Amino acid sequence: MKTWGEDWEHSEANIHRIGISARKTFADRHGGRLILFGLVEAEDNFDEIMAHEFYGQYKGPMGAWNVTAGRFGLPWGLLPGFSASRLLYDMPHDRLLGMDVDSGVKVSGMVGGPSHVP
């Protein structure tokens, strides 16, 4: 006969992935912003620790143009601010698309303005 708690004697808990991020925003009086961001992740019970994202982004007035430099997340699908890697269930994007971050310089923004929207 099993005693209470005997089933738990050989149990173990593992950390698959955990991360911590920091973000600081500096603004000027013209509406421009400098954003500094860092994300460090640990995997497999802290056996592997990596700097996942580290970048600086300068956003022009009202986000009309943006320049990002460093190691940053790539947009996935049609939602550029959406990160499928942060979901609690498994997504096929890593097997289909490969990595979700890249290093370099990215220039983005809007073409035209509100008067050009149909």
Side-chain angles (χ1 to χ4, degrees), residues 9-25:
E9 288 180 11
H10 302 290
S11 299
E12 63 181 58
N14 295 312
I15 295 176
H16 175 66
R17 179 180 291 162
I18 191 167
I20 187 166
S21 65
R23 177 181 169 141
K24 178 66 178 170
T25 302

Side-chain angles (χ1 to χ4, degrees), residues 23-108:
R23 177 181 169 141
K24 178 66 178 170
T25 302
F26 304 92
D28 64 19
R29 59 189 170 111
H30 302 292
R33 294 171 311 283
L34 173 64
I35 300 169
L36 302 176
F37 180 80
L39 170 63
V40 176
E41 291 184 336
E43 294 183 356
D44 300 325
N45 290 329
F46 294 92
D47 285 342
E48 192 175 328
I49 298 175
M50 66 177 176
H52 192 74
E53 292 183 41
F54 276 97
Y55 64 84
Q57 181 180 44
Y58 188 74
K59 298 176 78 78
M62 301 300 291
W65 50 268
N66 307 295
V67 178
T68 307
R71 182 171 171 85
F72 48 86
L74 297 172
W76 186 73
L78 298 176
L79 303 173
F82 177 76
S83 173
S85 64
R86 302 290 180 257
L87 298 175
L88 295 177
Y89 55 90
D90 191 25
M91 293 288 290
H93 76 282
D94 55 345
R95 292 182 296 278
L96 298 172
L97 301 176
M99 64 181 161
D100 65 344
V101 295
D102 198 3
S103 299
V105 176
K106 175 175 73 170
V107 178
S108 58

Side-chain angles (χ1 to χ4, degrees), residues 110-117:
M110 296 186 309
V111 175
S115 62
H116 293 90
V117 176

